[in-house]
Amino acid sequence: MDVVDERILHHLVRNARATFADIGAEVNLSAPAVKRRVDRMIADETIAGFTTIVDPESLGWGTEAYVQVYCKGTVSPQALFNTWESIPEVVSASTVTGQADAILRVRARNVRDLERALERIRGDDTIDHTESIIVLSRLIERG
Amino acid sequence: MDVVDERILHHLVRNARATFADIGAEVNLSAPAVKRRVDRMIADETIAGFTTIVDPESLGWGTEAYVQVYCKGTVSPQALFNTWESIPEVVSASTVTGQADAILRVRARNVRDLERALERIRGDDTIDHTESIIVLSRLIERG
DNA sequence: GATGAAATGCAGCTGCG
DNA sequence: CGCAGCTGCATTTCATC
């Protein structure tokens, strides 16, 4: 990982379908050299993958919320993971400091769908209660 | 937007660098047909772009936090956007329902860096105070 | 309107220096 | 790492349904 790798990453983050030749032109390297560095970063798991940014509204997923989860007694992160990984509406989940034990980001088609997802999120009986914060408008969205 | 477009999107989300021929093989379409549909979805802004998933740890960005922002009186989302868009640590920002006015997701190199970012986030004088929730471990992270 | 087939140009990939 | 060559994809054009 040097400064050239970082510049290559920067270009790939802006456009994952950029050609190695184009990236090479911007970092003063040949296409094969860029490919070898990218391959190494994939092997390193510095690059976790290439994905497409889809507008959720266009697919009818217009409702988003942050859900703070409060548990009873001791919490096993693994148990929480097992409960939530199968719920497609759960976009991200993290254990956190503070009063809550975890924060989830949830994306649903509508408020009804969100409600159903919340019921599944509360499925584990170690969960005491949840607190939902619905997103009104996205101001910034990066990476 | 039909079911074929959705299947193409699904493959592009899994791998943004997949070839049109490969995608076509999975949805029973020729490479040009896939390309035309993808081009249309880009024009539609259904596809907002292609990006690379980088492991933040590998680049030394190991600290993450959710920041709830509480404002004084009336809030202008545009003013908040103007204040935060230039802060690279701010990964996402949304106005929300509930007691707080906005929630930000912040990624920093370390706790010192996070503190500096928080000072900049509180830069707008319409902001009353902030409440930070530091992420302990990421359990789930999807698209 | 959408598609598939063919042709061209360009990108990816590998071996060698 | 760059260069050269071969393979294979992207892209355009054209004809068809």
Side-chain angles (χ1 to χ4, degrees):
Chain A
M1 273 301 310
D2 60 4
V3 67
V4 180
D5 286 335
E6 288 190 20
R7 290 175 65 196
I8 291 171
L9 277 182
H10 180 251
H11 288 288
L12 279 174
V13 167
R14 281 201 318 186
N15 178 19
R17 285 182 76 86
T19 66
F20 294 133
D22 281 348
I23 298 166
E26 302 211 51
V27 302
N28 296 317
L29 237 58
S30 68
V34 174
K35 179 196 160 23
R36 282 188 281 255
R37 281 170 177 264
V38 171
D39 285 345
R40 181 173 45 71
M41 287 191 280
I42 292 169
D44 282 347
E45 291 180 308
T46 297
I47 291 175
F50 304 99
T51 192
T52 300
I53 306 164
V54 180
D55 176 27
E57 312 278 348
S58 298
L59 277 160
W61 288 70
T63 304
E64 192 178 347
Y66 290 97
V67 179
Q68 290 181 276
V69 177
Y70 299 79
C71 296
K72 309 175 192 160
T74 315
V75 191
S76 154
Q78 187 60 45
L80 295 176
F81 174 81
N82 291 339
T83 309
W84 298 330
E85 66 167 342
S86 64
I87 307 175
E89 283 86 355
V90 174
V91 173
S92 82
S94 309
T95 57
V96 294
T97 63
Q99 289 179 291
D101 295 293
I103 291 187
L104 280 67
R105 196 168 175 176
V106 178
R107 226 195 293 267
R109 290 185 178 80
N110 47 53
V111 183
R112 267 182 79 108
D113 227 55
L114 177 62
E115 193 172 10
R116 273 193 297 248
L118 283 170
E119 283 170 25
R120 295 185 63 188
I121 288 167
R122 287 190 289 253
D124 195 301
D125 59 3
T126 64
I127 290 169
D128 189 291
H129 69 284
T130 62
E131 216 174 285
S132 297
I133 300 169
I134 293 177
V135 169
L136 295 175
S137 69
R138 279 185 277 278
L139 302 174
I140 297 168
E141 199 67 51
R142 300 181 183 129
Chain B
M1 272 303 308
D2 60 4
V3 68
V4 180
D5 285 336
E6 286 188 23
R7 288 175 65 196
I8 291 172
L9 276 181
H10 180 250
H11 288 289
L12 279 174
V13 166
R14 281 202 321 190
N15 178 18
R17 287 183 75 85
T19 65
F20 294 132
D22 282 347
I23 299 166
E26 302 212 50
V27 301
N28 296 318
L29 238 56
S30 68
V34 174
K35 180 193 161 18
R36 282 187 283 258
R37 281 168 177 268
V38 171
D39 285 346
R40 180 172 45 72
M41 288 191 279
I42 292 169
D44 283 345
E45 290 180 307
T46 297
I47 292 176
F50 303 99
T51 193
T52 300
I53 306 164
V54 179
D55 176 28
E57 313 277 348
S58 298
L59 276 159
W61 288 71
T63 305
E64 191 178 347
Y66 290 97
V67 179
Q68 291 183 276
V69 178
Y70 299 79
C71 296
K72 308 174 192 162
T74 316
V75 191
S76 153
Q78 187 60 45
L80 295 175
F81 174 81
N82 291 338
T83 309
W84 296 331
E85 66 166 338
S86 63
I87 307 174
E89 284 85 355
V90 174
V91 173
S92 80
S94 309
T95 55
V96 293
T97 63
Q99 290 179 291
D101 294 294
I103 291 187
L104 280 67
R105 195 166 175 177
V106 178
R107 224 191 299 264
R109 284 180 236 275
N110 48 52
V111 184
R112 269 183 78 107
D113 228 54
L114 177 62
E115 194 172 9
R116 274 194 295 249
L118 284 170
E119 284 172 24
R120 294 184 64 188
I121 288 166
R122 287 189 289 253
D124 194 303
D125 59 4
T126 65
I127 291 168
D128 189 291
H129 70 284
T130 62
E131 218 175 283
S132 297
I133 299 168
I134 293 177
V135 169
L136 295 175
S137 69
R138 277 184 277 278
L139 302 175
I140 297 169
E141 199 69 51
R142 300 180 183 132

